Amino acid sequence: MAEKEKQEAFRIDIPSNDKGFAPPSPRGPPPAPVVNNPLLPIFSYCGASILMTVTNKYVLSGYDFNLNFFLCMVQSIVCVLAISVGKSMGYIKYRDFSMDEARKWFPISVLLILMIYTSSKALQFLSIPVYTIFKNLTIILIAYGEVLWFGGSVTGMALFSFGLMVLSSIVAAWADISAAINSYGHSSTETAAALSTLNAGYIWMLINCLSSASYVLGMRKRIKLTNFKDFDTMFYNNLLSIPVLFFSSLIFEDWSSTNINLNFPEERRNNIIIAMIFSGLSSIFISYTSAWCVRTTSSTTYSMVGALNKLPLAISGLIFFDAPVTFFSVTAIAIGFFSGIVYALAKVKQSQSKTGTLPVSNPTMSASAQSMRDGFGQKS
């Protein structure tokens, strides 16, 4: 009896199951991490490109802002500090500073300074849509530079896209000129001043296209010799730019208290400083999202995103900065957008003809070089 009571004390009742015991069904594979979702890097890359251009335009949109070298220096300092913190925390890696490598890389940094400075000057005089459209002309210069220096080729479809790019630039210029004349009349002083501003913007834009193409082509050649990675390029580019920008600002820019108050009016001072810091952080963000986009998708998708990104970038100028919305301005944006798609498709078709399959490796240009160029309207 005592033995039976012990058994009863330790007995465990198992609920009956008419269907019998069924082992747990095997679970499916865990969901893919969010960072590997291709939509996230695509939208992040587009957002970073728009953010950089809009913040730069916000700083430069004041009529009295003329400290462009100082703006570029702040962006470089912020970038160096940010990636240095990232390296110290173990999130990123890049080479330690070497005087020999710095000496070899210095000409590339000078070209980068010229590219960024002329970009800021062009943005100061032109609207974001017009700037974005004219930035397409850099693609033509780079394409033919690759033909001369790297043995590249230009297909008929690419030539067609180049024609569309030139056409969109002509329409955009005509839209700007027409808007200035319609706003002030044909013979007023205001019209002459507006046209003079546009002409200055077009000249700075031409210099920017030439310097951008020289920078990208020169950096591509130097990267092949030094085997730099993206963060190596960012570190040396920004670090070597700081002293040049500092002395250029001291020599060529007005640092009187009167001019400082004009550049940083009290009512906008904090917002301008925050925007300058933000634009420096954006250069890191856009470089990372560019490489992220290539890694999680493909170079084909990346090139298509770069083409499609021109539309929201141009529209952002219409929304945030009251750029004139006319038939010609909208037409120029549409043609520029279409030319970007045609060029991306031409590159895809050219890759298919060489390999027989869609390209899935990284593009020959470093992601930082492409992203820098995108950030300033299309900054490494």
Side-chain angles (χ1 to χ4, degrees), residues 80-302:
V80 170
L81 289 176
I83 63 176
S84 297
V85 170
K87 182 180 180 180
S88 65
M89 297 177 68
Y91 292 123
I92 61 175
K93 294 180 180 180
Y94 57 84
R95 304 183 188 189
D96 293 329
F97 180 79
S98 166
M99 184 58 71
D100 182 59
E101 289 182 334
R103 179 179 54 82
K104 294 176 180 177
W105 194 264
F106 185 73
I108 306 300
S109 294
V110 172
L111 288 173
L112 173 64
I113 293 169
L114 183 61
M115 181 189 78
I116 297 175
Y117 179 77
T118 56
S119 174
S120 66
K121 294 297 290 186
L123 266 177
Q124 192 169 350
F125 294 110
L126 299 176
S127 64
I128 289 180
V130 173
Y131 172 88
T132 304
I133 292 168
F134 272 85
K135 195 68 178 178
N136 273 341
L137 299 179
T138 306
I139 298 175
I140 302 176
L141 297 175
I142 293 174
Y144 280 100
E146 288 182 338
V147 171
L148 295 174
W149 293 352
F150 300 102
S153 60
V154 178
T155 64
M157 194 173 182
L159 280 174
F160 177 62
S161 71
F162 295 162
L164 291 175
M165 291 175 189
V166 174
L167 177 61
S168 66
S169 300
I170 294 173
V171 175
W174 178 258
D176 261 4
I177 295 171
S178 299
I181 293 175
N182 293 334
S183 298
Y184 304 110
H186 286 270
S187 58
S188 66
T189 305
E190 291 85 355
T191 302
L195 293 177
S196 177
T197 299
L198 291 176
N199 289 334
Y202 297 145
I203 292 173
W204 282 115
M205 195 72 245
L206 174 62
I207 299 174
N208 176 252
C209 290
L210 293 171
S211 59
S212 297
S214 300
Y215 165 70
V216 172
L217 293 169
M219 186 174 66
R220 178 180 172 185
K221 189 172 184 178
R222 178 55 60 184
I223 284 175
K224 286 188 173 183
L225 298 176
T226 59
N227 198 29
F228 269 21
K229 306 301 181 185
D230 290 332
F231 283 112
D232 298 326
T233 302
M234 288 179 63
F235 174 66
Y236 276 94
N237 269 340
N238 288 280
L239 183 65
L240 296 177
S241 298
I242 293 173
V244 178
L245 292 169
F246 175 75
F247 287 109
S248 297
S249 182
L250 284 180
I251 295 171
F252 299 109
E253 295 179 336
D254 184 4
W255 280 96
S256 64
S257 57
T258 302
N259 193 54
I260 292 175
N261 289 330
L262 286 174
N263 282 272
F264 299 95
E266 189 174 353
E267 65 276 8
R268 293 182 61 208
R269 185 170 300 162
N270 291 335
N271 291 337
I272 291 176
I273 293 173
I274 292 173
M276 292 170 73
I277 296 173
F278 229 79
S279 62
L281 293 173
S282 298
S283 66
I284 308 168
F285 185 42
I286 198 171
S287 294
Y288 176 77
T289 54
S290 176
W292 186 17
C293 185
V294 172
R295 177 175 57 81
T296 56
T297 57
S298 68
S299 57
T300 304
T301 303
Y302 176 74

Side-chain angles (χ1 to χ4, degrees), residues 293-295 297-305 348 351 358-364:
C293 185
V294 172
R295 177 175 57 81
T297 57
S298 68
S299 57
T300 304
T301 303
Y302 176 74
S303 62
M304 290 299 295
V305 170
V348 172
S351 298
L358 287 176
V360 293
S361 59
N362 288 356
T364 53

Side-chain angles (χ1 to χ4, degrees), residues 40-109:
L40 186 58
I42 287 173
F43 284 116
S44 298
Y45 169 65
C46 293
S49 179
I50 294 172
L51 179 64
M52 169 169 280
T53 304
V54 170
T55 51
N56 278 328
K57 180 62 178 177
Y58 175 79
V59 175
L60 299 165
S61 60
Y63 294 108
D64 299 309
F65 193 89
N66 51 41
L67 300 176
N68 297 69
F69 282 121
F70 176 71
L71 169 62
C72 297
M73 185 185 71
V74 170
Q75 292 172 343
S76 294
I77 291 174
V78 170
C79 185
V80 170
L81 289 176
I83 63 176
S84 297
V85 170
K87 182 180 180 180
S88 65
M89 297 177 68
Y91 292 123
I92 61 175
K93 294 180 180 180
Y94 57 84
R95 304 183 188 189
D96 293 329
F97 180 79
S98 166
M99 184 58 71
D100 182 59
E101 289 182 334
R103 179 179 54 82
K104 294 176 180 177
W105 194 264
F106 185 73
I108 306 300
S109 294

